[in-house]
Amino acid sequence: MHNSSPPLVDMVLLQDDWIGPDATYLLSVVVALITAGVTVVARYKRGKYTTNANGKKTTPSLLRSWGIKIKNIKRAMIEIERKTFHMCGLLVPLTHMILLRYGYTNAFCIKLCWSITLFGWIIDLARLQIPFVARHWPMRSILRDHEKTQLTGGAFFSLGCTLSISLSPPSVAMTSILFLVCGDMSAAIIGVSFGGEVAHVKLGRAGKKSLEGSVAMFIVCFCISMITFAAIPIREYASFLAALVATVTELYEPFGLNDNLTIPVFSALALQFGFLRVRCPTCSCTPLR
């Protein structure tokens, strides 16, 4: 019998009646995103400054060529440098997909994630309680002011990724983590660079976030989900819902929780709810009544 399903992805039953693309396709998506990210960062590093006739560095021409106003360039540079480090978060879905691709079970990946998260939380708590650890903390220079007396965003990031991987099929977990890494990064950079230029509307709990940044995050998250689930029919509904949930979560930080924890967890739940609400002709999913 002729197989009429899209050739892009092998549709496989993952767990708990969820379907999704196989590990090989998911791995290719992560690798493509990492390649694109490294290319953009390298381009930024190479063209960050221009040099005048006296050999002195002047206002970054690359950022000006991107349309960023001079008054916003310094803040944009700081945010880009900070968020560039956050791209290391892509190593989580990359490692997850590599392990699945080469035969490790998802249960093994979940145990590994919990082990790493537990170790990270113990070390971070030690930093807060033991002065010697705090003085020799390897990433003191990039800590935000509030993180010097609180748990770091990395601790919440690790817990958020671990919960997402534990509660979701691999494709959903990967997508929710990409929402956090790429979506949150785009919201911060676009918000700092262009916030208030199109719409003078301040959003978020403290009124410090911009419409431009939120729109950027929604678009990035929606596109990531559409690409990840390219072979799943009616993926638009779940993708739209999850992107909206991720954006609102980043804006308002519900329950006062760190968004490194809430974005992947809430996004993963929204994706699963969205796919349950639609009936896929090529899968065994049934709508949630």
Side-chain angles (χ1 to χ4, degrees):
M1 183 182 294
H2 176 67
N3 183 6
S4 59
S5 62
L8 182 61
V9 180
D10 290 331
M11 304 302 292
V12 294
L13 190 66
L14 291 175
Q15 62 185 48
D16 300 328
D17 292 333
W18 295 100
I19 66 159
D22 66 3
T24 301
Y25 176 72
L26 295 174
L27 181 59
S28 69
V29 172
V30 179
V31 170
L33 282 173
I34 292 175
T35 302
V38 170
T39 301
V40 171
V41 170
R43 176 73 180 90
Y44 166 74
K45 295 286 187 182
R46 189 169 60 248
K48 186 162 60 171
Y49 291 101
T50 55
T51 305
N52 60 22
N54 298 322
K56 295 183 178 180
K57 292 180 179 179
T58 60
T59 304
S61 60
L62 180 63
L63 298 186
R64 286 190 285 117
S65 71
W66 289 351
I68 301 176
K69 293 182 178 180
I70 293 178
K71 66 178 182 178
N72 295 334
I73 283 181
K74 183 177 180 180
R75 290 181 61 213
M77 290 176 63
I78 293 173
E79 199 62 39
I80 290 172
E81 296 288 350
R82 181 180 291 144
K83 293 300 182 182
T84 297
F85 175 77
H86 287 196
M87 286 185 61
C88 295
L90 292 175
L91 293 175
V92 175
L94 177 65
T95 303
H96 188 195
M97 292 306 117
I98 289 176
L99 290 174
L100 293 177
R101 174 66 178 79
Y102 287 96
Y104 290 89
T105 65
N106 199 47
F108 170 82
C109 295
I110 292 171
K111 292 177 183 178
L112 179 62
C113 286
W114 278 111
S115 299
I116 294 172
T117 297
L118 180 61
F119 176 77
W121 273 68
I122 291 174
I123 294 299
D124 208 12
L125 288 170
R127 174 185 63 86
L128 297 176
Q129 301 297 326
I130 305 174
F132 176 83
V133 177
R135 287 196 302 270
H136 295 84
W137 190 254
M139 294 175 287
R140 284 188 303 166
S141 60
I142 63 172
L143 288 178
R144 296 177 184 267
D145 290 338
H146 70 271
E147 289 179 330
K148 295 176 181 178
T149 56
Q150 300 176 18
L151 289 167
T152 64
F156 290 104
F157 174 84
S158 177
L159 181 58
C161 292
T162 299
L163 286 171
S164 179
I165 292 171
S166 301
L167 298 172
S168 313
S171 56
V172 172
M174 186 195 85
T175 304
S176 68
I177 296 170
L178 294 180
F179 280 10
L180 172 58
V181 177
C182 301
D184 184 58
M185 180 172 63
S186 63
I189 294 175
I190 296 299
V192 167
S193 302
F194 304 103
E197 293 186 10
V198 176
H200 297 283
V201 179
K202 291 300 180 181
L203 305 173
R205 298 180 70 181
K208 296 181 179 180
K209 300 186 178 182
S210 68
L211 178 63
E212 292 88 344
S214 297
V215 170
M217 178 170 182
F218 176 83
I219 292 173
V220 167
C221 292
F222 181 76
C223 290
I224 286 174
S225 182
M226 291 292 289
I227 292 170
T228 303
F229 300 104
I232 295 184
I234 325 177
R235 65 192 185 280
E236 295 84 357
Y237 175 80
S239 298
F240 181 92
L241 178 63
L244 181 62
V245 167
T247 303
V248 173
T249 301
E250 191 275 335
L251 265 179
Y252 293 102
E253 297 181 341
F255 311 115
L257 295 173
N258 190 291
D259 60 9
N260 288 295
L261 168 62
T262 52
I263 288 176
V265 173
F266 290 174
S267 299
L269 294 176
L271 272 171
Q272 294 185 70
F273 178 81
F275 282 124
L276 274 176
R277 289 294 297 173
V278 297
R279 186 183 297 277
C280 303
T282 60
C283 72
S284 60
C285 292
T286 56
L288 188 66
R289 299 298 182 184

